[in-house]
Amino acid sequence: MAKYYDESIETASRETIRQIQSENLIKTVKLIYDRVPLYRNRMDEAGVKPEDIKSVDDLHLLPFTYKQDLRDTYPYGMFTTDMDNVVRLHASSGTTGKQIVVGYTEKDIDMWASCVARALTAYGATKSDIVHVSYGYGLFTGGLGAHDGAQKLGATVIPVSTGNTARQITILQDFKPTVICGTPSYALHLIEALHEAGLSKDDISLKIGVFGAEPWTDEMRVQIEEGLGIKAYDIYGLTEICGPGVSFNCECQSGLHINEDHFIPEIIDPDTGEVLPDGQVGELVFSAVTKEAFPILRYRTRDICMLSHEKCSCGRTLVKMAKPQGRSDDMLIIRGVNVFPSQIESVLLSFSETTPNYMLIVDRVNNSDTLEIQVELGEEMFKSDEVKHLLTLQSQISEKVKSTLGISAKITFVEPKTLARTEGKAKRTIDKRKLY
């Protein structure tokens, strides 16, 4: 079984990687300056010309790109090639404004597929595997991104997409896929559905799980691994950069290796924009420097994490990013404290009496923020009539939340299956405050 999909890149020296990055960056800066008015105007305002960028060391001279820039140039204003060369379009959900539209040439699609194939190889997948893709297909990048990567690897792909969970259970039994790709919250839903059908992990053939598109904790990983009988791995990506495959776990699972020959990462102070050194937590910024249709420079992802160039025992020399703590735009500020839903999820998953499904409700009463955490009880606990036990559990969760966050929260138990399940990204927060 191959350990690497592209060993010459995945184990390259730092000097080789930097040379590749520098060559690609120089070409991309010129392309973007010549073809995208927004970039040309912004670089002119900053007093930066393409010839000023001589290596990756000069990356910090370039202006940032923001999500609003992509909305302002909707739909094709950021493209750097003629539409005759664009073979596919993807787009974000557009839930907070106009959709972000991204184009791909045939070469871009092949590059993206190779990045996903690198990830699948790192997880232990080979062309002998059967890959069940339960990410959504369509404008969302997850389904087709995973599909093309598995196909590039030579594996058999089952393009299931989302929904129709009963059918998915049948496929897991009958088609005997060995790899599943999807969101971690949907994986938990599949585990529930298996149990409801009187089945268990012993009735399916999965070995590897590839999960992304939403934050998830190590505690959730353990639940998924135990429920599906698999080893669960992270894959990271975002529509604006290319989709899943920007970075991936290796067998060490001590971070996610970035395909940095294509995507140059930085960590910045989200307030000042200052570039931070390895090991410091900040906002992740990416420059996509090999794409023909939609390259992007210094894109502020809003994901909060850190980078490390420490040698990995898997043999890969690609820089690693820590698992994102959350997004700066998903972060809640409650009574002056920064709160990420993933912190609360980690607490809740440490209690066996509850399910992994929860909802955070934030409100403001008499000028003071309130936090209520609705938690689903497990079936056995819900059937129990031991009020004392429920009160004790409620107190234990409350204390652990306060210890973790530094603020108190109201813990409300709800019946099993009360909270909505999702086939895509899980929505965990309702903020009722009028913040302006």
Side-chain angles (χ1 to χ4, degrees):
M1 184 172 66
K3 186 173 183 181
Y4 310 107
Y5 179 78
D6 191 347
E7 185 171 359
S8 65
I9 293 295
E10 293 175 61
T11 64
S13 68
R14 181 54 26 195
E15 293 72 25
T16 298
I17 290 291
R18 289 178 62 80
Q19 182 179 349
I20 292 170
Q21 289 178 332
S22 294
E23 290 173 359
N24 289 331
L25 177 63
I26 290 167
K27 291 176 186 174
T28 299
V29 169
K30 186 176 188 321
L31 175 66
I32 280 179
Y33 186 86
D34 290 344
R35 299 296 299 262
V36 182
L38 180 143
Y39 274 122
R40 183 165 57 252
N41 294 338
R42 197 161 287 174
M43 285 176 64
D44 287 347
E45 289 170 4
V48 181
K49 297 295 183 184
E51 53 268 26
D52 296 328
I53 308 302
K54 298 178 173 61
S55 78
V56 71
D57 292 329
D58 299 319
L59 182 59
H60 70 281
L61 299 175
L62 295 166
F64 291 116
T65 309
Y66 302 86
K67 179 168 282 192
Q68 189 59 44
D69 295 332
L70 310 189
R71 294 192 177 115
D72 291 344
T73 54
Y74 172 91
Y76 305 137
M78 299 289 281
F79 286 21
T80 50
T81 192
D82 296 333
M83 289 301 294
D84 286 354
N85 300 320
V86 175
V87 299
R88 189 190 297 171
L89 296 174
H90 279 285
S92 66
S93 60
T95 54
T96 56
K98 282 190 174 180
Q99 296 184 87
I100 304 304
V101 182
V102 180
Y104 299 80
T105 65
E106 189 172 342
K107 183 179 175 184
D108 293 338
I109 294 290
D110 188 65
M111 176 275 288
W112 181 13
S114 295
C115 287
V116 176
R118 287 182 191 178
L120 290 169
T121 302
Y123 307 145
T126 70
K127 65 182 298 182
S128 300
D129 281 293
I130 300 175
V131 182
H132 178 114
V133 179
S134 64
Y135 281 121
Y137 280 66
L139 290 177
F140 173 59
T141 56
L144 284 166
H147 182 121
D148 288 345
Q151 193 165 290
K152 183 79 171 176
L153 186 63
T156 302
V157 185
I158 310 174
V160 187
S161 194
T162 56
N164 202 337
T165 301
R167 183 178 180 226
Q168 300 224 19
I169 296 298
T170 299
I171 289 171
L172 288 172
Q173 285 182 278
D174 298 348
F175 293 14
K176 302 192 183 311
T178 50
V179 179
I180 187 167
C181 304
T183 62
S185 56
Y186 191 60
L188 291 172
H189 185 43
L190 284 174
I191 293 168
E192 272 189 349
L194 274 172
H195 292 162
E196 288 171 2
L199 303 170
S200 73
K201 61 186 178 184
D202 298 326
D203 297 297
I204 58 178
S205 303
L206 293 176
K207 300 181 301 180
I208 296 168
V210 182
F211 303 110
E214 62 188 19
W216 57 306
T217 60
D218 288 335
E219 291 82 1
M220 185 183 283
R221 184 198 302 274
V222 170
Q223 289 212 358
I224 291 171
E225 289 182 338
E226 291 177 350
L228 294 177
I230 60 174
K231 188 73 173 171
Y233 295 94
D234 272 286
I235 194 165
Y236 171 90
L238 59 165
T239 301
E240 300 90 325
I241 304 301
C242 87
V246 173
S247 67
F248 56 92
N249 275 150
C250 62
E251 69 263 24
C252 303
Q253 294 185 307
S254 56
L256 292 88
H257 289 284
I258 296 171
N259 284 311
E260 56 176 325
D261 50 329
H262 301 294
F263 315 110
I264 304 175
E266 302 171 273
I267 295 291
I268 64 166
D269 182 310
D271 295 322
T272 67
E274 175 192 1
V275 178
L276 301 176
D278 272 17
Q280 288 202 27
V281 175
E283 181 183 342
L284 182 61
V285 171
F286 272 117
S287 296
V289 293
T290 59
K291 292 173 71 178
E292 293 180 327
F294 193 89
I296 195 166
L297 295 177
R298 305 200 80 198
Y299 181 72
R300 296 188 59 161
T301 69
R302 300 299 181 188
D303 285 327
I304 303 297
C305 67
M306 64 181 182
L307 298 177
S308 171
H309 285 88
E310 287 185 10
K311 186 176 180 180
C312 184
S313 56
C314 76
R316 288 176 180 79
T317 53
L318 298 172
V319 65
K320 285 192 291 189
M321 56 181 272
K323 188 182 181 72
Q325 299 176 4
R327 293 173 57 84
S328 60
D329 49 1
D330 284 345
M331 182 182 75
L332 297 164
I333 301 178
I334 302 173
R335 292 174 232 148
V337 175
N338 295 345
V339 175
F340 290 101
S342 59
Q343 294 174 293
I344 295 170
E345 179 180 289
S346 182
V347 168
L348 297 178
L349 285 170
S350 67
F351 291 90
S352 60
E353 299 94 335
T354 61
T355 79
N357 300 292
Y358 65 94
M359 181 65 71
L360 312 181
I361 300 175
V362 188
D363 207 343
R364 180 162 288 171
V365 179
N366 297 326
N367 297 317
S368 178
D369 292 339
T370 62
L371 172 62
E372 177 187 359
I373 306 174
Q374 295 185 348
V375 187
E376 272 190 6
L377 288 172
E379 292 281 358
E380 293 305 313
M381 179 58 66
F382 180 69
K383 292 174 183 176
S384 170
D385 58 0
E386 296 183 25
V387 175
K388 185 177 179 181
H389 192 175
L390 286 173
L391 291 174
T392 300
L393 177 62
Q394 198 172 40
S395 177
Q396 289 173 339
I397 295 174
S398 179
E399 287 174 10
K400 196 160 186 179
V401 166
K402 187 171 184 178
S403 173
T404 300
L405 301 180
I407 60 173
S408 58
K410 176 185 178 183
I411 308 300
T412 303
F413 291 140
V414 299
E415 297 181 26
K417 301 182 181 61
T418 299
L419 300 176
R421 303 312 194 247
T422 178
E423 295 164 355
K425 297 185 182 183
K427 178 174 172 54
R428 302 292 196 192
T429 303
I430 298 174
D431 194 338
K432 297 181 176 180
R433 297 174 295 180
K434 288 181 169 47
L435 302 177
Y436 44 79

